[in-house]
Amino acid sequence: TYVGVKRRAEVFLYKDKTFGCDFYETIDDVESFVKSETYKGHSESYAEDAAENYVGHIKNFEENKT
């Protein structure tokens, strides 16, 4: 789990050894799911980097409000 200001990302592993992330955003003390991504063929560190970039506001999605 990676936590930043108003953002959180969960790194996970599927049974087929594919890593991924779920991304969340908190607005007015309400946390909402933003997006899920999978990284087939990539390493755990790739998913961790995506999570760090998201909570650090480097990685963004159109759905983000923060």
Side-chain angles (χ1 to χ4, degrees), residues 14-56:
Y14 286 107
K15 289 182 181 179
D16 68 352
K17 298 185 180 176
T18 297
F19 288 94
C21 288
D22 286 342
F23 301 99
Y24 301 87
E25 182 174 44
T26 301
I27 298 171
D28 296 330
D29 295 326
V30 177
E31 184 177 72
S32 300
F33 174 78
V34 175
K35 190 168 188 163
S36 185
E37 291 186 332
T38 57
Y39 311 113
K40 190 167 183 80
H42 290 282
S43 66
E44 181 178 9
S45 63
Y46 186 91
E48 290 172 342
D49 287 346
E52 287 178 345
N53 288 340
Y54 178 74
V55 299

